[in-house]
Amino acid sequence: MKKQDTGLAKEPVKEPAKEQTKIGSVEIEAFAHNAARLIEEGGKALAAYMRPREEGTIKTEAAEDIADMVKTVGQILEYWLSDPERALELQSSLGRAYLELFAVTAKRMAGEEAKPAAAPDPKDKRFTDPEWSQNQFFDFLKQFYLLSVQWAEKLVRDAEVDEHTRQKAAFYIKQIGNAVAPSNFVFTNPELLREMMDSHAENLVRGMHMLAEDIKAGHGNLKITQSDPSAFEVGRNLALTPGKVIFQNELIQLLQYEATTPEALKIPLLIVPPWINKFYILDLTPEKSFIKWCVDNGLTVFVVSWVNPDAHLAKKSFEQYMREGVLAALDAVELATGEKQIHTIGYCVGGTLLTITLAYLASKGDTRVASATLFAAQVDFTYAGDLKVFVDEERIQQLEAHMNEQGYLEAGRMATAFNMLRSNDLVWPYVINNYMRGKKPFPFDILFWNSDATRMPAANHSFYLRNCYLNNTLAKGKMKIAGETLDLKKVTVPIYNLATREDHIAPAKSVLFGSKFFGGPVKYVLAGSGHIAGVVNPPSNRPKYQYWTGSAPRGADVDKWLAKATEHPGSWWPDWLDWIRAIDAETVPARVIGGGKFKPLEDAPGAYVKVKSWT
């Protein structure tokens, strides 16, 4: 039998036995000292978690989530166990997989070459350390885990249950599988084990200290640090494009940006970001800023900055978000520029709100919007992706009861939901890096923004969940706003409908399918990457992602559309600008902020965007 190199122990040092004993004693002392510190830091983490619960300042909702998970997975198991033949198939399939693994392991132990019983996806970064393949113990653990996950996923996939239950079960199984991966634990992860041995568990002490700090920062809930929080500050090195706040009300501040070109397009541009995030995702560093790029390319740019609401805005309805948000901003842009036509952009749920506003304006015969660009936004929710897991009547009632207690949904609840959609990218790598390796995460502007979440007022969020995700009333022509029943076929303005290929929030399939509901010309464009990186992909000499343009959107088959589409290297931004100019290329002298109608209230990025949820 071949002797396997574990890679975990250092080569023995040839020194006198007495000296080796001394070194061993020092190591034991170091481990013992760090073990005591680990217990101390663990006590601080536990205290940070328990204190707000003992004081009654927060309540745990974990019981509801766990109950829903158990109920959903239980329905899958009930299908398989209710019939003896299916139950036998259930056991046999897993048994066969494990027997194959034992056979492969036995061959390897005998020094023979053997094809693995299971191999990770090449994109899976959890098992890249050589020890996962070279060391028999870790290789066995890896394959045992992968076979178990594949078996569980097949149970869900082959169960005869309704589609919503299947989707929920698949999501829960995925989360369980991601959580119990051997890469997440010190003694089953060769990298972590090496670090613990080399540092005498100093890494675990640092990690436990960081865990306590993150629980404290989350006021009793874990707020995982994804980026060095000291590296960025809005107004210092993020959201730097020069401009002014020219208008504000309870819900928004409206920003206008300073012109950098002698002339600008006659039609101004209004950007409506999502109210569940902060607008500066479109104004990160100057090199990544979509807003700055638009200004530098001769557009007069206005941006809505949503308030970070608290309890006193609990009753603010979806209609008020439309009236005091989008419509108020359109009125202000018209007054500041004197223009009767305005280009608009809506990002994510901001795009959904913008579309609803367009349908409302169409019902009133209001034609001031010249075009609409939608960034990863859904208008039909048939194929809305994994977020539908959190939406059914029972879950919405639970959420509404929770929101009614305090008037809003905490920022952390929504942030956690979004992170769990990609837990192997946005949760577990940071659990390992921060709390087990004891290392601070790298500074990353997008992840800093991702953690700078906002609250959501109860009335608005309830309407959105029920009318969009649950009942899909907009696409069905049944949504009512301000006494009007909305019909998307009446929206005839040109639409640039941007989807991103790896989007888990607004899937490309959902955006493609939603294109058919509009009454005017729609240009469907597919960008590489996901919900954020696919949008924030500036032109550069070394393009990171590509995009595709093609025929008019029909149906929901993205692969079929792609088969006839044209792939372009680099950013889609110039393509969008060409589309805007094709609508109307007339220019005017660059405009002064406020146009003499508004007195600037403060410098961009304004006060609303700086209000923190975690304070």
Side-chain angles (χ1 to χ4, degrees), residues 307-422:
V307 72
N308 191 349
D310 54 23
H312 91 277
L313 295 175
K315 301 297 183 183
K316 286 291 184 181
S317 66
F318 201 91
E319 178 184 333
Q320 286 173 298
Y321 264 67
M322 179 185 76
R323 289 189 180 280
E324 299 174 33
V326 185
L327 292 179
L330 285 170
D331 291 341
V333 172
E334 185 178 345
L335 186 59
T337 62
E339 297 297 333
K340 300 296 183 183
Q341 289 277 279
I342 301 167
H343 291 304
T344 58
I345 290 176
Y347 193 170
C348 189
V349 295
T352 306
L353 176 60
L354 174 62
T355 301
I356 290 169
T357 306
L358 294 177
Y360 174 77
L361 291 174
S363 73
K364 294 292 188 179
D366 190 323
T367 60
R368 71 178 115 170
V369 172
S371 74
T373 298
L374 305 178
F375 293 167
Q378 299 176 99
V379 299
D380 175 88
F381 291 77
T382 304
Y383 304 108
D386 285 343
L387 276 178
K388 290 188 76 172
V389 167
F390 303 104
V391 182
D392 53 41
E393 184 59 40
E394 182 180 358
R395 296 289 280 171
I396 289 180
Q397 286 184 12
Q398 292 172 352
L399 192 61
E400 286 173 338
H402 172 75
M403 290 191 296
N404 288 337
E405 289 183 6
Q406 56 192 9
Y408 58 85
L409 183 67
E410 307 95 319
R413 287 286 293 272
M414 204 66 185
T416 297
F418 283 130
N419 287 339
M420 293 307 289
L421 296 181
R422 295 175 55 208

Side-chain angles (χ1 to χ4, degrees), residues 142-437:
K142 175 190 68 179
Q143 293 186 65
F144 185 87
Y145 163 75
L146 292 173
L147 287 172
S148 301
V149 169
Q150 290 169 10
W151 173 78
E153 291 174 344
K154 187 176 186 299
L155 291 189
V156 175
R157 189 168 56 248
D158 294 347
E160 294 180 8
V161 295
D162 65 271
E163 191 56 36
H164 182 60
T165 298
R166 188 194 316 281
Q167 189 177 14
K168 288 175 66 176
F171 177 81
Y172 286 135
I173 289 295
K174 179 180 178 182
Q175 299 311 316
I176 294 169
N178 290 348
V180 301
S183 54
N184 293 339
F185 304 94
V186 173
F187 292 102
T188 55
N189 183 326
E191 291 181 88
L192 295 177
L193 197 52
R194 282 198 303 269
E195 288 199 35
M196 184 186 73
M197 298 298 290
D198 290 344
S199 70
H200 308 122
E202 175 73 29
N203 59 316
L204 300 181
V205 176
R206 295 193 307 268
M208 189 61 72
H209 176 77
M210 293 174 67
L211 176 65
E213 291 295 311
D214 283 355
I215 294 175
K216 185 178 178 182
H219 302 285
N221 291 317
L222 178 60
K223 180 180 183 292
I224 299 176
T225 301
Q226 297 174 320
S227 175
D228 183 356
S230 64
F232 300 103
E233 183 182 350
V234 176
R236 176 172 63 84
N237 54 4
L238 297 175
L240 298 181
T241 305
K244 303 286 184 182
V245 175
I246 65 167
F247 169 83
Q248 75 177 45
N249 57 30
E250 278 193 313
L251 287 182
I252 69 165
Q253 287 188 321
L254 182 65
L255 284 65
Q256 182 180 356
Y257 290 91
E258 292 180 8
T260 59
T261 56
E263 292 189 330
L265 287 180
K266 184 175 187 293
I267 301 178
L269 172 67
L270 171 65
I271 300 175
V272 181
W275 66 86
I276 62 175
N277 299 114
K278 295 186 175 180
F279 82 87
Y280 67 88
I281 187 60
L282 297 175
D283 191 24
L284 289 169
T285 59
E287 298 78 19
K288 294 180 181 178
S289 173
F290 177 77
I291 291 171
K292 182 179 186 300
W293 183 85
C294 287
V295 172
D296 289 345
N297 278 276
L299 285 162
T300 306
V301 180
F302 297 81
V303 175
V304 169
S305 175
W306 295 102
V307 72
N308 191 349
D310 54 23
H312 91 277
L313 295 175
K315 301 297 183 183
K316 286 291 184 181
S317 66
F318 201 91
E319 178 184 333
Q320 286 173 298
Y321 264 67
M322 179 185 76
R323 289 189 180 280
E324 299 174 33
V326 185
L327 292 179
L330 285 170
D331 291 341
V333 172
E334 185 178 345
L335 186 59
T337 62
E339 297 297 333
K340 300 296 183 183
Q341 289 277 279
I342 301 167
H343 291 304
T344 58
I345 290 176
Y347 193 170
C348 189
V349 295
T352 306
L353 176 60
L354 174 62
T355 301
I356 290 169
T357 306
L358 294 177
Y360 174 77
L361 291 174
S363 73
K364 294 292 188 179
D366 190 323
T367 60
R368 71 178 115 170
V369 172
S371 74
T373 298
L374 305 178
F375 293 167
Q378 299 176 99
V379 299
D380 175 88
F381 291 77
T382 304
Y383 304 108
D386 285 343
L387 276 178
K388 290 188 76 172
V389 167
F390 303 104
V391 182
D392 53 41
E393 184 59 40
E394 182 180 358
R395 296 289 280 171
I396 289 180
Q397 286 184 12
Q398 292 172 352
L399 192 61
E400 286 173 338
H402 172 75
M403 290 191 296
N404 288 337
E405 289 183 6
Q406 56 192 9
Y408 58 85
L409 183 67
E410 307 95 319
R413 287 286 293 272
M414 204 66 185
T416 297
F418 283 130
N419 287 339
M420 293 307 289
L421 296 181
R422 295 175 55 208
S423 58
N424 271 346
D425 295 319
L426 297 176
V427 177
W428 297 112
Y430 298 96
V431 169
I432 294 170
N433 182 78
N434 299 6
Y435 311 138
M436 297 183 189
R437 302 183 72 185

Side-chain angles (χ1 to χ4, degrees), residues 469-524:
Y469 276 94
L470 186 62
N471 296 318
N472 200 19
T473 59
L474 179 61
K476 293 176 180 178
K478 296 179 180 179
M479 180 178 285
K480 291 186 177 181
I481 291 281
E484 298 290 335
T485 300
L486 305 183
D487 181 1
L488 286 178
K489 286 298 180 186
K490 294 182 179 179
V491 178
T492 58
V493 300
I495 290 177
Y496 191 99
N497 206 9
L498 178 78
T500 56
R501 194 172 187 181
E502 299 171 18
D503 203 326
H504 295 268
I505 297 170
K509 180 178 183 178
S510 181
V511 176
L512 176 63
F513 187 68
S515 299
K516 75 172 190 176
F517 293 92
F518 295 101
V522 178
K523 180 176 182 178
Y524 178 80

Side-chain angles (χ1 to χ4, degrees), residues 531-546:
H531 193 72
I532 303 301
V535 174
V536 185
N537 182 30
S540 65
N541 293 327
R542 298 168 65 183
K544 193 171 184 181
Y545 303 114
Q546 72 281 67

